[in-house]
């Protein structure tokens, strides 16, 4: 059996096992009856469809700003809900079922691409990188009606194609990522650094025309912003939705970190204590990752992490940092590479031993509709 097929099947098996644990655990914990859907399917679907999921479901079913709704679906990009709408006819018109299957398949693709990228960077490390992705504590978002799986798969595709110097295709994949999340722009910038590094290694002074494909990503973002401007009459509709819906504004880094600290120390309910401390720790861990990548002179990966960190700390909120961190694939690659070295072999058992219980706990938190990120 080809390695790619084995990895994809293993990934799907891990997600189905997680889903089984979540469903059994949710029943044992007395998870609430279906609130937005109905019947047994509705109850099952709502274990993996909550919070931001409903924005994607509404966009897929009704488009942006249906009658009676002025905010804040504009804060979400159209790539994921558009694919949900396209696939829905295959699932009796259910965009939720389409979203769940899309997340599962995109996660399998991401696992295969992560393995290939790991092997390209450091032979023997690919499988461990996939293991660490599979046990990521907040990995429930790779199975839920959320954009994480799709964005990660497109990011890894763009990165792998860039490493292989297939820049026209890399630009297309990065443009796809830009239709899913605005963070796709950071991917484009980091890929531009990759290209500059390749030019320097080759002794070239001028870029080839193929690198122009990286401009497709920013064009995709501008197209979405333009659509929102026409739809709403507001040229900054996306930013205004962020501000109105989540009170997210630009701030100095020390203000953002202070806000994160205050949110963590003032939390009262268990779910908020967990999520807010996790957000703060994710940012700090990202800083350590950035330092490690800089010391290793992996400048393109360092730029990718630096930009993702910057958008968090230069903000009044650190909310959802853990979900952003879930897509920081350089971390999996680095851990996978370290795991092939005798001195760091203990990571092979230590990381799963720590992360698996957290994955189960946080997945059950999400399934019972508590806030986890």
């Amino acid at each position: 059996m080809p390695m790619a097929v084995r990895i994809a099947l293993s990934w799907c098996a891990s997600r189905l096992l997680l889903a089984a644990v979540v469903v059994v655990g949710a029943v044992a914990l007395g998870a609430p009856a279906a609130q937005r859907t109905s019947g047994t399917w509705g109850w099952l679907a709502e274990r993996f469809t909550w919070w931001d999921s409903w924005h994607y479901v509404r966009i897929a079913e009704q488009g942006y700003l249906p009658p009676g709704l002025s905010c804040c679906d504009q804060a979400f990009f159209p790539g994921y809900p558009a694919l949900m709408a396209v696939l829905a006819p295959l699932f009796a018109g259910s965009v939720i079922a389409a979203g769940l299957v899309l997340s599962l398949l995109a996660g399998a693709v991401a696992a295969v691409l992560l393995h290939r990228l790991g092997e390209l960077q450091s032979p023997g490390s690919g499988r461990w990188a996939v293991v660490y992705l599979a046990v990521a504590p907040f990995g429930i978002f790779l199975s839920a009606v959320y954009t994480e799986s799709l964005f990660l798969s497109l990011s890894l595709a763009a990165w792998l194609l860039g490493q292989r110097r297939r820049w026209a295709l890399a630009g297309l994949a990065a443009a796809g990522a830009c239709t899913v999340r605005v963070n796709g722009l950071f991917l484009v910038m980091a890929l531009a650094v990759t290209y500059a590094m390749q030019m320097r290694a080759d002794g070239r002074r001028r870029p080839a025309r193929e690198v122009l494909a990286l401009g497709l990503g920013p064009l995709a973002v501008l197209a979405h912003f333009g659509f929102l401007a026409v739809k709403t009459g507001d040229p900054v509709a996306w930013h205004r939705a962020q501000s109105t819906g989540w009170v997210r504004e630009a701030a100095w880094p020390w203000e953002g970190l202070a806000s994160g600290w205050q949110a963590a120390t003032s939390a009262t309910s268990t779910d908020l204590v967990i999520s807010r401390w996790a957000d703060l720790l994710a940012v700090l861990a990202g800083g350590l990752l950035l330092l490690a990548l800089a010391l290793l002179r992996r400048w393109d990966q360092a730029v990718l992490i630096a930009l993702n960190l910057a958008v968090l700390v230069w903000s009044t909120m650190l909310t959802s940092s853990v979900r952003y961190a879930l897509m920081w694939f350089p971390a999996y690659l680095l851990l996978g590479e370290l795991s092939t070295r005798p001195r760091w072999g203990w990571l092979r058992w230590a990381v799963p031993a720590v992360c698996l219980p957290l994955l189960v706990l946080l997945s059950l938190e999400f399934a019972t509709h508590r806030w986890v990120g």
Side-chain angles (χ1 to χ4, degrees):
M1 182 183 297
M3 179 61 71
V5 175
R6 289 172 54 190
I7 293 171
L9 290 177
S10 296
W11 176 265
C12 290
S14 75
R15 296 305 96 182
L16 293 176
L17 178 60
L18 177 63
V21 170
V22 164
V23 169
V24 171
V27 170
L29 293 171
Q35 298 176 29
R36 300 196 183 190
T37 53
S38 59
T40 302
W41 157 247
W43 185 90
L44 290 172
E46 287 186 3
R47 300 316 102 203
F48 307 92
T49 311
W50 208 249
W51 305 115
D52 289 355
S53 300
W54 299 115
H55 292 281
Y56 299 117
V57 170
R58 183 165 50 241
I59 294 169
E61 291 179 336
Q62 305 177 51
Y64 284 94
L65 301 179
L69 184 70
S70 60
C71 194
C72 294
D73 289 349
Q74 306 96 301
F76 298 87
F77 273 56
Y80 182 64
L83 287 176
M84 291 168 63
V86 169
L87 294 175
L90 300 177
F91 302 96
S94 172
V95 296
I96 292 178
L100 290 171
V101 172
L102 179 57
S103 290
L104 176 66
L105 296 180
V109 171
V112 172
L113 294 172
L114 183 63
H115 178 269
R116 290 184 178 177
L117 196 54
E119 292 300 305
L120 185 64
Q121 180 172 293
S122 177
S125 68
R127 61 172 178 161
W128 293 110
V130 175
V131 167
Y132 299 143
L133 174 64
V135 301
F138 287 85
I140 184 63
F141 291 104
L142 296 172
S143 300
V145 181
Y146 269 72
T147 60
E148 274 65 19
S149 282
L150 181 59
F151 183 81
L152 181 60
S153 63
L154 289 167
S155 297
L156 287 166
W159 202 268
L160 182 60
L161 288 164
Q163 296 299 313
R164 291 178 173 175
R165 302 184 180 226
R166 302 178 66 179
W167 285 103
L169 293 176
L172 286 172
C178 286
T179 70
V180 178
R181 300 178 71 98
V182 72
N183 305 60
L185 291 175
F186 305 150
L187 174 67
V188 171
M189 295 177 192
L191 285 170
V193 175
T194 300
Y195 190 83
M197 292 168 65
Q198 291 177 358
M199 283 182 58
R200 181 177 181 181
D202 296 343
R204 290 185 291 131
R205 295 185 177 181
R206 294 183 179 180
R209 285 182 296 178
E210 60 184 0
V211 78
L212 293 176
L214 291 179
L216 295 174
L219 287 177
V221 173
L222 288 175
H224 179 56
F225 287 172
F227 164 78
L228 291 178
V230 172
K231 184 82 173 179
T232 65
D234 182 357
V236 291
W238 178 80
H239 173 74
R240 200 174 304 280
Q242 292 277 345
S243 177
T244 301
W246 292 268
V247 200
R248 191 185 295 272
E249 297 286 353
W252 291 108
W254 52 87
E255 293 176 332
L257 291 172
S259 176
W261 174 263
Q262 182 179 10
T265 55
S266 64
T268 53
S269 63
T270 302
D271 57 336
L272 289 180
V273 169
I274 292 174
S275 64
R276 289 176 178 176
W277 275 106
D279 282 332
L280 187 58
L281 291 174
V283 171
L284 297 177
L288 293 176
L289 174 61
L290 175 59
L291 177 62
L293 293 173
L295 291 174
L296 292 170
R297 297 181 181 275
R298 296 176 182 173
W299 303 119
D300 46 359
Q301 294 183 20
V303 166
L304 179 65
I305 300 303
L307 292 172
N308 276 279
L309 278 175
V311 77
L312 290 170
V313 299
W314 288 69
S315 168
T316 53
M317 295 180 66
L318 297 185
T319 302
S320 301
S321 298
V322 290
R323 289 198 288 114
Y324 292 171
L326 193 61
M327 299 174 288
W328 295 347
F329 61 85
Y332 307 119
L333 295 175
L334 180 57
L335 286 173
E337 183 177 350
L338 290 174
S339 297
T340 63
R341 301 177 182 179
R343 179 185 297 183
W344 295 88
W346 55 271
L347 288 172
R348 300 179 184 181
W349 60 265
V351 172
V354 172
C355 290
L356 270 174
L358 290 174
L359 173 60
V360 172
L361 171 64
L362 294 167
S363 297
L364 287 173
E365 285 278 295
F366 179 87
T368 52
H369 302 165
R370 294 176 175 86
W371 180 253
V372 295

